[in-house]
Amino acid sequence: DTAVSQTPKYLVTQMGNDKSIKCEQNLGHDTMYWYKQDSKKFLKIMFSYNNKELIINETVPNRFSPKSPDKAHLNLHINSLELGDSAVYFCASSPLGGASYEQYFGPGTRLTVT
Amino acid sequence: QKEVEQNSGPLSVPEGAIASLNCTYSDRGSQSFFWYRQYSGKSPELIMFIYSNGDKEDGRFTAQLNKASQYVSLLIRDSQPSDSATYLCAVRVYNQGGKLIFGQGTELSVKP
C-alpha cells in the first residue's frame, strides 16, 4: 500500500516539450506539496495545496502549473521544458494541524531534459 | 545567509561510534524542526521532529534543539553502515503554510 505515489518514475524529454507528473496520496491528508531537488541534492518547495486550494506558490517560472482535482491528487504540468528543469521532483503530503506537520514524500520523478 | 545551513560533509565515522550532525537556521520564527534521511536515489524519509528546547530520543537517534542559539542537531549512537546516507535538516516557519525549508544535507559515511 503505497502512501504517496508518483508517475512516471523517470521522464526523459526534449527541450520545448510539455510534460506532466502525477501524484496521489492515500493517507487522507489535507495538504500536498511539490518539491524540486537539484543535482546538489538541495530540496526546495515549489507549491502547496490544501484541500484543492493553492496556499504556497514559491518563485517558480509560470511554465510550471500545479493542478489539484481533489485533495488526494496533485499534478504538476510543465510547459516548454528547459535544460535547467532537469531535476528530481518530489510530491509530499501532510496532515493539517499540529506543530509537527510531518511530511511524507513520494518516490520522486527524475526528469531529464535533453 | 542561507536560511538553513548544514555542513555538506562527507562526515565519516567508524561503525559503533556516535555521529553528530548539526544544523543552524536564521529565522527566529521557526517553529518545528525535522530530520530526514535520504539514501541515494531514494526519497527523504522522516527520522525525527522536535519543537521544544532540549533533547528528544528515539532509539539510537537523539534530536537536540536550542532555539536561543538557533541550532538543532541529530546524534546517532552506535552508528551502523546502514546509516550511511544524506541527512537533511528542515525547518517549518510559523504562518508559512506548513512549508519546510531544507538545508543542503550532510552526507554521512559509516565505515565497517
Side-chain angles (χ1 to χ4, degrees):
Chain A
D1 290 344
T2 304
V4 183
S5 60
Q6 293 179 231
T7 54
K9 190 169 175 59
Y10 299 97
L11 186 52
V12 181
T13 188
Q14 292 183 328
M15 281 194 306
N17 285 347
D18 303 338
K19 291 293 178 185
S20 292
I21 305 172
K22 294 185 177 182
C23 178
E24 177 181 0
Q25 55 96 2
N26 62 6
L27 297 167
H29 289 166
D30 294 294
T31 309
M32 296 183 72
Y33 310 81
W34 277 112
Y35 287 87
K36 178 181 180 181
Q37 188 169 45
D38 61 24
S39 57
K40 294 184 179 179
K41 296 282 188 86
F42 186 59
L43 197 58
K44 188 169 167 55
I45 183 81
M46 299 174 69
F47 302 103
S48 174
Y49 270 75
N50 178 256
N51 265 327
K52 302 194 296 176
E53 180 184 347
L54 181 67
I55 57 171
I56 296 174
N57 187 351
E58 293 291 294
T59 308
V60 176
N62 58 15
R63 298 183 294 103
F64 291 79
S65 55
K67 284 187 173 51
S68 181
D70 55 61
K71 77 172 192 177
H73 296 84
L74 179 61
N75 304 322
L76 184 65
H77 188 76
I78 315 170
N79 289 327
S80 303
L81 278 155
E82 300 177 357
L83 292 176
D85 298 331
S86 295
V88 181
Y89 292 84
F90 287 102
C91 177
S93 73
S94 70
L96 183 64
S100 62
Y101 271 91
E102 301 165 49
Q103 292 188 16
Y104 298 87
F105 284 79
T109 296
R110 183 174 293 277
L111 172 64
T112 303
V113 182
T114 61
Chain B
Q1 181 188 7
K2 291 180 183 174
E3 294 179 89
V4 180
E5 290 205 56
Q6 298 178 250
N7 290 326
S8 59
L11 172 66
S12 184
V13 301
E15 184 175 356
I18 295 176
S20 177
L21 303 159
N22 304 316
C23 174
T24 58
Y25 59 95
S26 60
D27 193 329
R28 288 196 174 271
S30 299
Q31 188 175 22
S32 310
F33 307 86
F34 301 80
W35 283 101
Y36 282 83
R37 177 176 62 198
Q38 187 174 26
Y39 292 112
S40 181
K42 300 296 185 182
S43 59
E45 171 193 10
L46 181 67
I47 299 175
M48 293 187 70
F49 67 90
I50 186 168
Y51 48 86
S52 299
N53 274 328
D55 294 0
K56 180 180 178 182
E57 188 174 316
D58 184 0
R60 295 186 297 113
F61 299 96
T62 299
Q64 299 174 317
L65 174 61
N66 184 326
K67 289 188 177 180
S69 300
Q70 296 175 247
Y71 175 91
V72 59
S73 65
L74 179 70
L75 301 178
I76 307 175
R77 289 181 298 281
D78 189 23
S79 295
Q80 301 296 309
S82 58
D83 294 326
S84 298
T86 297
Y87 289 80
L88 302 170
C89 173
V91 169
R92 185 179 80 93
V93 179
Y94 176 73
N95 213 22
Q96 288 198 22
K99 76 175 182 182
L100 293 181
I101 302 170
F102 282 84
Q104 69 269 40
T106 298
E107 184 183 348
L108 172 66
S109 177
V110 181
K111 304 294 187 186

